[in-house]
Amino acid sequence: MGLLIAVIYLIFISLGLPDSLLGSGWPKMQTVFEVPSSFAGYVSMTISFMTIISALLGPKIIKRFHTKWIVIFSIVFTELAP
């Protein structure tokens, strides 16, 4: 039971990371990439678009792979992202 709660907690954290990191990380990203502030909108739209794509492809991916492996790889890829 404890492992299940830990996995659910990690899923919850990994799903919310892109949204919160854009707001807090944009000032640093803007200076590193030397782009205007308006580019934050493009990044936000890209995140939203990819969320829609993953929601549409979710059922096909779940049919092909076991849910456990999808969750594990999702968490690993989220944690490895720069």
Side-chain angles (χ1 to χ4, degrees):
M1 184 68 166
L3 178 62
L4 178 62
I5 292 174
V7 169
I8 291 170
Y9 179 73
L10 287 174
I11 292 169
F12 176 75
I13 295 298
S14 67
L15 287 174
L17 278 177
D19 301 330
S20 62
L21 287 180
L22 179 62
S24 62
W26 182 250
K28 179 67 174 174
M29 291 167 37
Q30 181 183 3
T31 57
V32 169
F33 294 121
E34 299 175 354
V35 295
S37 296
S38 61
F39 276 41
Y42 296 123
V43 175
S44 180
M45 285 189 309
T46 302
I47 291 171
S48 298
F49 179 71
M50 291 303 164
T51 301
I52 293 168
I53 295 297
S54 67
L56 293 174
L57 293 178
K60 292 180 183 180
I61 293 172
I62 290 171
K63 284 182 183 177
R64 184 170 184 150
F65 302 105
H66 195 274
T67 306
K68 173 178 74 172
W69 293 111
I70 295 170
V71 171
I72 290 170
F73 282 117
S74 173
I75 293 170
V76 168
F77 288 144
T78 302
E79 293 299 321
L80 292 177

